[in-house]
Amino acid sequence: MANQNIPRVNGRVLANAHMTSSYYSKNGLGKLTDKNFVETMLRTKPDQYDKMMLRLFTDTRLYSNDLLDLVMKSGKPFQVNDPNGVFTYKIKKRAELPKVIATPSLPAKPGIDGQEFEIVFDKNVFVVNDIISAHRYEQETLVQIVSDAERFQNGFKYKCRAAGATASDFVNTRFLSVGVEYFKVGNVLGEYSTSFSSLGVFDGNLEVMADVLSQYGVEHTITDWADATKLGMQTDATGNPMDITYYSVTDPNAQGEKTKIVGWEPTVSRLLRMEMMRMKANMLMWGRQGNSVDEKGRPTRMKSGLWQQLHLGNVIYYDRGQFSLNLIRAAIGDLFYNRVLIKDRYVKIYTNRAGMELASAAIRKDFNNQNFMVSADKFLDGKDRTKQGYAFQFDHFMTTETGPVEFVELEQLNENATFLELGPNKKTPPIFIILDVSGQEDAGIREVKLATRPNMYYQYIPGSVGFGSQQTVIASKDPYSTYIMKDFSGIFLEDPTRTVIIKEYPRV
């Protein structure tokens, strides 16, 4: 069984699988029992598996992934009951104002001399005595509703009059064209009026269907021959191979090294979990929707990851060498307009290493173009005059259109670069991702899990040889044992319209 030494950090491979817990107590390591066996911990709290294992691996420096961290912080997973992964959810949408769809028998000067005219809207939202307008700044003569709506074909017909200062005032016909939106300014009441206004238009929800849940798994088989082989593997005093990984917390204030065991498992089990987490991170980020078949020709389905879903939102391309802060100002400014107050605007842009370098150069160039007078000694760094350096780099900026803009390196965008992915300078092309411009605290992404199955479904299939104590009753005569792990997982964007990708034109 594979062995891995990790000096001085949590997770050292230290013990033999066949030793009793008393062995560890004698060696000052505490007990490795069923209670702190990783699989027992996860079986009793299956809903906490992802966070527990990610924290365990991160704290012990065995494995960490910033994309999984980001997903975990974005709220509770979205639980679905269908293994196919199809589900619906609702996102908030702004109320749509009523639009003019017809103006039957419209005179040349609508409303002049108190004449009534008719407007057909696509929604029934106005009532008698409402004052409505199509343009806050330019429409001088407003429209008064004088009758409740009547059903008219696919819309609602209202009788109206011009609410002008004199009898010669009328409504300009450009404000009555088909497609023009109207909103309620207020209503007008007299001494004996009994018709009051209504609640008006409400913001609503848009129901969206998603299909992002997929199944994946890893297995590893260990033969009796391989398990008996000890070449190159550390052993204990009795000659047994040390094939357990334990996770510990060391008290730095204690005399000596007082270590508390927080979990343990076979080393091969840890390696399987780490591989599952790598696969999960890759599938959540780089998965593509498609159809495939398994090893026996049965149909299987692939689901889209975050990268593919982001392309349903706002995608901005630029030519190599043409990136500037104006791209971000224009894109974010348009999305923020009429959506977020200037004082509440804040943008977090996830990027790779090439993107961090490009962003710093773009901010520096924009800064230099402002012709500021700065003192050079504020950028110098050195103990004496003969050993001086300077620091002049940027990782954030602020404008009226965007508010504060922060660039954050996402390691998942740097990993596994193939030859085709590398550009002429042997760097992955810069990628800039904005996950949510709504001003909310989360990133607008949610993990999808299958509610009817525990996280990281785990099975151990013993043969004539197996992990643990010596077996007198065996499951089969097969000279091997097999570990199997599988899981259902997916990711979805709550609202792609709030996302932005800025990237170079592809050159593949």
Side-chain angles (χ1 to χ4, degrees):
M1 192 176 294
N3 178 65
Q4 187 171 350
N5 243 340
I6 308 173
R8 277 208 61 80
V9 300
N10 297 338
R12 289 173 293 181
V13 180
L14 192 68
N16 176 338
H18 304 288
M19 299 301 293
T20 62
S21 59
S22 61
Y23 171 84
Y24 307 107
S25 297
K26 292 178 182 178
N27 287 271
L29 297 175
K31 295 183 179 181
L32 303 188
T33 63
D34 287 342
K35 184 176 181 180
N36 56 16
F37 182 38
V38 169
E39 186 57 34
T40 301
M41 295 161 54
L42 302 181
R43 190 178 293 113
T44 56
K45 298 180 179 180
D47 57 317
Q48 300 181 23
Y49 172 82
D50 296 307
K51 290 185 178 180
M52 286 176 58
M53 290 310 303
L54 193 61
R55 175 59 62 86
L56 199 60
F57 284 159
T58 301
D59 291 348
T60 59
R61 306 180 196 175
L62 287 175
Y63 176 75
S64 64
N65 187 280
D66 48 7
L67 174 66
L68 296 182
D69 283 333
L70 179 64
V71 174
M72 298 303 170
K73 293 177 182 178
S74 294
K76 296 180 62 176
F78 195 94
Q79 301 285 345
V80 299
N81 297 317
D82 184 2
N84 292 320
V86 180
F87 64 97
T88 59
Y89 64 100
K90 294 181 179 180
I91 59 176
K92 293 182 179 180
K93 69 171 185 176
R94 296 184 60 185
E96 296 182 2
L97 296 174
K99 296 180 181 179
V100 176
I101 60 175
T103 50
S105 305
L106 187 68
K109 295 182 178 181
I112 194 170
D113 296 327
Q115 298 176 6
E116 295 182 355
F117 57 95
E118 295 176 336
I119 306 177
V120 181
F121 291 102
D122 61 343
K123 296 180 178 63
N124 182 11
V125 296
F126 301 132
V127 295
V128 176
N129 292 332
D130 277 353
I131 304 298
I132 63 176
S133 174
H135 202 302
R136 293 176 173 84
Y137 312 117
E138 302 298 334
Q139 186 174 350
E140 294 298 329
T141 303
L142 304 183
V143 177
Q144 181 185 5
I145 303 296
V146 298
S147 73
D148 289 328
E150 297 179 0
R151 197 69 175 164
F152 183 85
Q153 297 177 358
N154 294 327
F156 300 89
K157 183 172 65 174
Y158 295 87
K159 290 183 178 180
C160 310
R161 68 166 59 98
T166 66
S168 60
D169 290 334
F170 60 92
V171 180
N172 193 310
T173 54
R174 76 184 182 98
F175 298 124
L176 299 174
S177 303
V178 173
V180 171
E181 293 179 325
Y182 267 81
F183 71 98
K184 180 175 67 176
V185 177
N187 80 324
V188 58
L189 300 176
E191 183 178 0
Y192 299 103
S193 299
T194 58
S195 295
F196 296 84
S197 189
S198 62
L199 293 177
V201 182
F202 291 95
D203 289 346
N205 293 315
L206 179 65
E207 190 170 30
V208 182
M209 185 182 73
D211 180 12
V212 295
L213 186 67
S214 61
Q215 185 180 18
Y216 60 100
V218 178
E219 70 173 356
H220 186 73
T221 297
I222 301 174
T223 65
D224 189 12
W225 187 287
D227 196 43
T229 301
K230 302 177 183 178
L231 295 177
M233 180 179 293
Q234 292 186 4
T235 59
D236 60 18
T238 60
N240 293 312
M242 296 189 294
D243 55 2
I244 279 182
T245 295
Y246 79 88
Y247 308 97
S248 63
V249 176
T250 302
D251 184 0
N253 298 321
Q255 294 182 357
E257 271 200 26
K258 185 178 180 180
T259 303
K260 176 184 177 182
I261 304 296
V262 297
W264 68 276
E265 62 180 332
T267 300
V268 66
S269 175
R270 172 179 65 82
L271 296 175
L272 286 170
R273 293 185 202 280
M274 291 173 64
E275 183 61 24
M276 286 289 287
M277 286 196 169
R278 292 189 189 97
M279 289 173 57
K280 178 178 180 178
N282 284 331
M283 292 176 66
L284 292 186
M285 187 68 194
W286 307 115
R288 297 294 198 275
Q289 189 174 25
N291 298 304
S292 58
V293 295
D294 65 7
E295 74 281 0
K296 295 186 178 180
R298 294 169 294 204
T300 58
R301 299 175 62 198
M302 301 182 298
K303 305 300 176 67
S304 60
L306 181 61
W307 179 252
Q308 189 174 37
Q309 294 179 50
L310 283 167
H311 286 74
L312 301 175
N314 303 280
V315 182
I316 300 174
Y317 291 94
Y318 65 91
D319 287 316
R320 181 173 296 165
Q322 299 301 313
F323 178 81
S324 69
L325 299 189
N326 288 332
L327 278 174
I328 298 175
R329 288 192 183 102
I332 304 304
D334 290 346
L335 290 175
F336 273 151
Y337 195 76
N338 280 343
R339 181 177 275 183
V340 181
L341 296 175
I342 290 179
K343 67 180 183 65
D344 296 330
R345 297 179 179 183
Y346 169 75
V347 180
K348 181 180 288 188
I349 301 180
Y350 296 94
T351 183
N352 52 6
R353 293 190 185 97
M356 292 294 292
E357 296 175 3
L358 184 61
S360 179
I363 299 173
R364 183 170 62 249
K365 181 179 180 180
D366 195 80
F367 177 84
N368 291 332
N369 289 339
Q370 307 305 319
N371 296 320
F372 291 135
M373 297 294 293
V374 296
S375 178
D377 60 354
K378 294 183 181 295
F379 301 93
L380 296 178
D381 180 25
K383 295 182 179 180
D384 55 59
R385 295 180 179 180
T386 61
K387 295 182 180 180
Q388 285 288 345
Y390 76 95
F392 195 63
Q393 60 183 15
F394 303 87
D395 63 359
H396 64 278
F397 68 95
M398 180 177 179
T399 68
T400 302
E401 299 92 340
T402 62
V405 178
E406 177 187 6
F407 292 89
V408 179
E409 185 178 357
L410 190 64
E411 185 62 24
Q412 190 69 25
L413 299 176
N414 295 319
E415 293 182 348
N416 303 323
T418 66
F419 180 79
L420 285 179
E421 292 172 351
L422 300 177
N425 55 356
K426 304 303 179 184
K427 294 181 180 179
T428 304
I431 298 172
F432 302 95
I433 297 175
I434 303 171
L435 292 176
D436 196 340
V437 296
S438 65
Q440 298 181 6
E441 293 183 358
D442 60 15
I445 55 178
R446 294 275 298 279
E447 184 183 8
V448 181
K449 303 293 294 183
L450 184 60
T452 57
R453 286 291 182 273
N455 292 332
M456 198 67 72
Y457 186 64
Y458 175 88
Q459 290 291 336
Y460 171 65
I461 307 173
S464 60
V465 61
F467 177 81
S469 59
Q470 299 295 333
Q471 302 175 98
T472 56
V473 179
I474 60 177
S476 72
K477 63 181 180 180
D478 296 330
Y480 52 79
S481 57
T482 302
Y483 293 82
I484 295 178
M485 289 185 185
K486 60 181 180 179
D487 198 7
F488 288 87
S489 184
I491 192 172
F492 78 99
L493 280 174
E494 293 184 353
D495 187 356
T497 64
R498 301 189 307 210
T499 66
V500 182
I501 293 180
I502 303 176
K503 62 178 182 177
E504 288 183 359
Y505 281 107
R507 299 179 180 273
V508 177

